[in-house]
Amino acid sequence: MAKSAGVAIGYLSERSGLAVSAIRYYETQGLLEPWRNAGGQRRFHRADIRRLSFIMIAQQFGFSLPEIRGFLKTLPGGRTPTPEDWARISTGFRDHLDARIETLQKMRDNLDGCIGCGCLSLPKCALYNPQDQAAKKGKGPRYLMGDSPELDAAPEKGA
Amino acid sequence: MAKSAGVAIGYLSERSGLAVSAIRYYETQGLLEPWRNAGGQRRFHRADIRRLSFIMIAQQFGFSLPEIRGFLKTLPGGRTPTPEDWARISTGFRDHLDARIETLQKMRDNLDGCIGCGCLSLPKCALYNPQDQAAKKGKGPRYLMGDSPELDAAPEKGA
DNA sequence: GCTTGAGCTAAAGTTAGGTTTAGAAATTAT
DNA sequence: ATAATTTCTAAACCTAACTTTAGCTCAAGC
């Protein structure tokens, strides 16, 4: 179980396409745990290339680095993930993706219902309250695309 | 065509759910053009509530503020958008949404093909090169989820 | 007319996910 | 042995989209 020589950060960078600085950053975020050689340089497992690929894929799926760290914690420490490890995580990805697709399709349907309707003063507009899941942190408007029913009835007063 | 009194920023904030600071920020980004009253305070058209709602919706569709500014420039200056104005922009939204849905569905299909495959050393993995459209700015890995075919054949040398 | 609330500006801070810079030390190549 | 690469750390910088803070001024209520 000797650690072998390990590979340098530049090797991982070249193999993964990530910048050296990004790999160091991932270490600060707890996504990788390299050891140091006698001269103080980082040394990685060859298998960490997969960890990096995993990170890149998970980012494409919209996961944040803390979330990805959570996934990686479920992976076995030093060894290569087994098919089971990977299948478990992939299934999580799938749920995530399905939810996002569903949200987008709902938005599209709402939009379809709205195209041509004018949306001039429509508190009942289909885009009324789209922030189902994919919404940001903010509170969001209460009356999207329109004022509240009564208060905005008057047109350009004084025109 | 006198400007009437206009409404204050706090009114827009309350009606839209946006923070006052966000509305000011949008002005700096060219999304709104309030005028000033005698005391130097911002005064807005009532119809600017709709501009704000528009901004919030467009953000949910994934557009950046510069992009939204582009949309708003196609809207009529001081008046309420007509059904035609809105339909034109909605169609743009729709294309955008369709593209995103399609990308996600492709990713899901790739993922389905990958679940259970193990992905231990798979340069031919279906997640090989997912950055079709929705990819980030980065270059992306050349061999996702695996080292290149030949070089990574050896398992934990020295174990 | 005084007090309080709303609004003003400029500048700094925030979060995520990194990159860039600078200067020093280690490693590799010749 | 020397030169050229890499790597190291710490700190500053970057973008987007805002928020917060500080110190004032304006407007509104009684």
Side-chain angles (χ1 to χ4, degrees):
Chain A
M1 208 58 181
K3 297 210 113 142
S4 88
V7 299
I9 197 168
Y11 176 81
L12 285 190
S13 169
E14 203 181 328
R15 296 300 300 283
S16 67
L18 288 165
V20 165
S21 61
I23 298 175
R24 288 202 195 101
Y25 178 70
Y26 293 156
E27 184 190 354
T28 72
Q29 301 306 297
L31 304 181
L32 290 169
E33 295 192 340
W35 66 98
R36 302 298 178 117
N37 73 357
Q41 297 193 351
R42 287 172 185 82
R43 288 300 177 256
F44 298 84
H45 296 289
R46 240 163 226 290
D48 284 339
I49 296 172
R50 281 187 205 99
R51 278 178 99 83
L52 293 177
S53 302
F54 178 85
I55 292 167
M56 297 169 89
I57 291 178
Q59 281 188 309
Q60 298 210 4
F61 281 99
F63 292 103
S64 68
L65 295 188
E67 287 169 326
I68 295 171
R69 183 176 54 218
F71 285 129
L72 287 174
K73 269 197 309 213
T74 75
L75 286 181
R79 74 170 163 80
T80 306
T82 63
E84 292 73 36
D85 296 325
W86 176 240
R88 174 168 29 77
I89 286 174
S90 298
T91 303
F93 281 178
R94 224 213 117 109
D95 293 347
H96 187 80
L97 261 184
D98 284 345
R100 271 175 51 200
I101 289 172
E102 205 182 331
T103 298
L104 287 177
Q105 279 169 339
K106 265 189 212 152
M107 287 176 78
R108 182 173 62 188
D109 293 345
N110 287 342
L111 187 59
D112 284 345
C114 206
I115 290 180
C117 77
C119 283
L120 298 177
S121 183
L122 300 177
K124 60 262 185 198
C125 169
L127 280 169
Y128 194 43
N129 196 9
Q131 61 268 58
D132 289 302
Q133 277 85 50
K136 333 286 273 191
K137 344 60 198 339
K139 296 83 175 295
R142 289 175 302 281
Y143 289 104
L144 276 177
M145 289 314 290
D147 303 345
S148 73
E150 327 84 83
L151 292 173
D152 191 42
E156 296 280 346
K157 171 177 149 191
Chain B
M1 208 57 179
K3 297 210 116 145
S4 89
V7 299
I9 197 167
Y11 176 82
L12 285 192
S13 169
E14 203 181 329
R15 296 301 301 283
S16 67
L18 288 166
V20 165
S21 59
I23 298 175
R24 289 202 196 100
Y25 178 71
Y26 292 157
E27 183 190 356
T28 72
Q29 301 306 297
L31 304 180
L32 290 169
E33 295 193 340
W35 67 98
R36 302 298 179 117
N37 73 357
Q41 297 192 350
R42 288 172 185 79
R43 288 301 177 255
F44 298 83
H45 296 289
R46 241 162 224 289
D48 283 339
I49 296 172
R50 283 189 203 96
R51 279 178 98 82
L52 292 177
S53 301
F54 178 84
I55 291 167
M56 298 170 87
I57 292 178
Q59 281 188 309
Q60 299 210 5
F61 282 99
F63 292 103
S64 68
L65 295 187
E67 287 169 327
I68 294 171
R69 184 176 53 219
F71 283 130
L72 287 173
K73 270 197 310 213
T74 77
L75 286 180
R79 73 168 164 82
T80 306
T82 64
E84 292 73 35
D85 296 324
W86 175 240
R88 175 168 28 78
I89 285 173
S90 298
T91 303
F93 282 178
R94 224 212 117 111
D95 293 347
H96 187 79
L97 261 184
D98 285 346
R100 269 174 54 201
I101 290 172
E102 203 181 333
T103 297
L104 286 177
Q105 280 170 339
K106 266 190 212 153
M107 287 177 79
R108 182 173 62 187
D109 293 345
N110 287 341
L111 187 60
D112 284 345
C114 207
I115 290 178
C117 77
C119 283
L120 298 177
S121 183
L122 300 178
K124 60 259 184 198
C125 168
L127 279 170
Y128 195 43
N129 194 10
Q131 62 268 58
D132 289 302
Q133 276 86 51
K136 333 284 275 189
K137 342 75 203 319
K139 296 84 174 296
R142 288 175 301 282
Y143 288 104
L144 276 177
M145 290 312 292
D147 303 343
S148 73
E150 327 85 82
L151 293 173
D152 191 41
E156 295 282 344
K157 172 176 147 194

